[in-house]
Amino acid sequence: MTKTRKLRRVRTDAALRPLRHRLAAVEEIRFHAPDGVRLGLTRVDTGSTDRPAVLLLHGHTASADMFLVPEIRNLVDVLVDNGYEPWLLDWRGSCRLPYNETGRRYTYDDVALHDIPAAVSYIRGRIGDRPLFAVAHCIGSIALSMSMTAGLVPDLAGVVSQGVFLTPRLPGRMSRRMTVAGELMKNRFDHIPVDFRKVGLWSKYTPLFALAARKAQCPDPTCQILHNSAWGMGISLFVHENLSESTHDRLADLFGPAPLWILPHLRRMALAGSVVRWNDTDHRYRELPLSALDAAGRIDTRVLLLAGSENGLWQDSQKVCRDVLANRQPQLDVSYMEIPGYGHLDTLIGRGAALDVFGHIIDFLDKA
C-alpha cells in the first residue's frame, strides 16, 4: 500500500503577512517594483512632517519585522525617539511576501536595479527636500551597494551598512558547502526551510535538520538550523545568549526559507571578493556595474560599516572593505565600527542592541 504524502499548503493570497509591532500608527503602502513584482513599503507615522527619513533594508529570508521586534527596544523605537521617520521596505526576498517560496526566481541584480531605487524614488516624492538616510542589513546592504555604485540612488544623506557591503568574504567551509549543496540538492530542493513544524518529521528535509542538530546545545530545531548551521552551511548567524527568550521562540517567524537557486550569485561574489552583477550579458541590467567595488568612486555619501566581532557569516568583510576603500578611493568618507561580542543577526534583534549597537547608528545619522 502506497503512503500518500500530505502536501503543505502554499499561501496564494495577495496580502503581505501583517507586521508585528506595538506602534501607534503605520502606513502600509501598496507598492510594486517597476518590473511588476509586489513589494511591501511601510511608513512609521510619527505625527510630524519635518523629520529626516530613514529607509530600512532587511536581509534575505528576513523581513521588515526584524526592525520592529516588539519584545525589545528595537531600531524603529530608537529612530523615532531620536527624531527620525522610519520607512521599511520588504524587497522581493522578504518572508512577509505571499510568493516568497513560490514566486519567480530572481537575482540580487533585480533588487539593486528595481526594488531599492523604486523605494527611494517613492519616498523622495513623499518627503520632499528632507534628508533621506538608509540602514541596510546583509543582502539588503549588498544590493544597496550595487544601486549606489550604479548611480541609481543619488544624494542619500548617509548609509549605515551592517554585516557586509562591497567586499563579501565567506568562510572557506561555507563556500565549499555552498558549492556541494548547490550541485547535489538543486534538483531536489528549491529552499532550505527553518520551521520544522511546517515540514514535519517524515519529510525530505529531515536529514538537513538532523545535520544541523549535531553538537547543538539548544534543542530548538529552528535555532539549530540558524545558529548552529546557517541553513546547513555550517556557521553561526548569531550569538545565542544575545537573544531574549521571546525573540528566540519567534525565529521561525522572523526568518524564512533560504532559496538554493541564489547560491551561484553568492558564490560568484565570494570568488570575486566584490559585489558583482550576475546578468553580465543581459542588456536589461546594463545600468549596474559589473563590479560594485570597481565603481565605488560613484558613492556620493558618508558610509558607516558596522559588524559584530563574532560575525561567523561574513567574517571581517567590513574591515576589509574599509581598508580597500581607504587605499583605492581615499576621497570617500567611510568609517568602520566593530561591535564586541555580537554576531550577525543579533546586532539588530539582540536584547541589548539598543545599548550596544543602535547608539552608533544614531550618532552617525546625527552628524549629517
Side-chain angles (χ1 to χ4, degrees):
M1 183 176 179
T2 303
K3 183 177 180 180
T4 302
R5 178 178 294 175
K6 184 178 180 181
L7 297 177
R8 180 166 58 87
R9 293 181 62 188
V10 176
R11 299 178 70 232
T12 57
D13 60 289
L16 279 73
R17 187 186 71 200
L19 282 168
R20 181 173 174 177
H21 62 84
R22 57 170 184 268
L23 298 168
V26 298
E27 178 187 1
E28 292 276 6
I29 298 160
R30 191 169 182 84
F31 186 68
H32 290 78
D35 61 347
V37 174
R38 171 75 184 275
L39 308 176
L41 187 62
T42 304
R43 181 184 71 90
V44 177
D45 188 350
T46 63
S48 173
T49 59
D50 60 356
R51 294 179 173 222
V54 182
L55 172 62
L56 301 177
L57 300 170
H58 59 81
H60 204 168
T61 85
S63 72
D65 276 307
M66 71 180 301
F67 302 112
L68 289 163
V69 181
E71 58 268 14
I72 65 170
R73 180 164 164 75
N74 57 60
L75 181 55
V76 167
D77 291 336
V78 172
L79 288 170
V80 171
D81 290 347
N82 284 274
Y84 294 92
E85 179 182 88
W87 290 72
L88 301 95
L89 174 66
D90 281 281
W91 51 271
R92 65 189 68 199
S94 169
C95 61
R96 283 187 67 216
L97 298 170
Y99 58 80
N100 178 249
E101 295 178 63
T102 58
R104 73 188 191 198
R105 297 184 178 186
Y106 57 89
T107 69
Y108 300 133
D109 293 355
D110 296 292
V111 185
L113 181 64
H114 300 304
D115 301 8
I116 295 175
V120 168
S121 177
Y122 179 89
I123 295 169
R124 287 196 186 283
R126 291 281 301 271
I127 68 173
D129 294 333
R130 285 186 280 157
L132 173 59
F133 297 90
V135 177
H137 170 71
C138 194
I139 298 300
S141 178
I142 282 178
L144 177 61
S145 77
M146 184 67 84
S147 299
M148 293 171 67
T149 54
L152 298 176
V153 287
D155 301 322
L156 293 173
V159 168
V160 179
S161 161
Q162 203 300 111
V164 62
F165 190 51
L166 288 169
T167 55
R169 286 166 55 87
L170 296 170
R173 64 184 180 278
M174 182 174 179
S175 295
R176 290 190 295 271
R177 288 196 183 194
M178 284 172 59
T179 301
V180 173
E183 293 303 316
L184 294 181
M185 297 192 295
K186 65 182 179 181
N187 294 324
R188 183 167 174 79
F189 305 133
D190 279 330
H191 294 74
I192 297 179
V194 297
D195 193 346
F196 191 66
R197 297 166 300 180
K198 288 185 177 180
V199 301
L201 181 61
W202 306 109
S203 81
K204 61 184 179 182
Y205 301 107
T206 299
L208 297 179
F209 281 91
L211 180 65
R214 293 180 64 245
K215 299 181 180 180
Q217 297 180 351
C218 180
D220 181 77
T222 296
C223 179
Q224 291 167 1
I225 207 160
L226 290 176
H227 169 60
N228 199 42
S229 186
W231 297 285
M233 299 304 167
I235 52 93
S236 176
L237 291 176
F238 54 85
V239 176
H240 194 271
E241 54 267 29
N242 285 347
L243 300 190
S244 72
E245 184 176 348
S246 298
T247 303
H248 180 275
D249 292 344
R250 293 183 54 231
L251 287 172
D253 295 325
L254 290 169
F255 304 99
L260 286 175
W261 40 260
I262 206 70
L263 293 184
H265 196 181
L266 283 176
R267 286 202 302 271
R268 180 181 289 186
M269 292 185 188
L271 290 172
S274 169
V275 175
V276 294
R277 195 172 83 197
W278 176 256
N279 300 282
D280 50 5
T281 60
D282 190 332
H283 73 278
R284 292 173 298 177
Y285 298 89
R286 62 182 177 272
E287 289 184 80
L288 300 177
L290 291 174
S291 166
L293 183 59
D294 291 343
R298 298 192 69 178
I299 294 175
D300 61 355
T301 190
R302 299 178 305 122
V303 179
L304 172 62
L305 305 173
L306 278 179
S309 63
E310 311 303 314
N311 190 337
L313 177 58
W314 298 109
Q315 302 186 109
D316 59 349
S317 294
Q318 296 291 61
K319 183 177 183 297
V320 169
C321 185
R322 188 272 313 270
D323 294 344
V324 170
L325 290 178
N327 181 57
R328 296 177 56 173
Q329 303 289 347
Q331 79 282 3
L332 298 181
D333 186 351
V334 178
S335 55
Y336 168 66
M337 177 67 66
E338 184 174 288
I339 312 299
Y342 277 77
H344 183 52
L345 298 175
D346 42 320
T347 51
L348 289 169
I349 66 171
R351 58 186 172 185
L355 293 174
D356 300 327
V357 184
F358 301 160
H360 298 299
I361 296 176
I362 297 300
D363 288 344
F364 175 81
L365 301 181
D366 286 348
K367 291 177 181 177

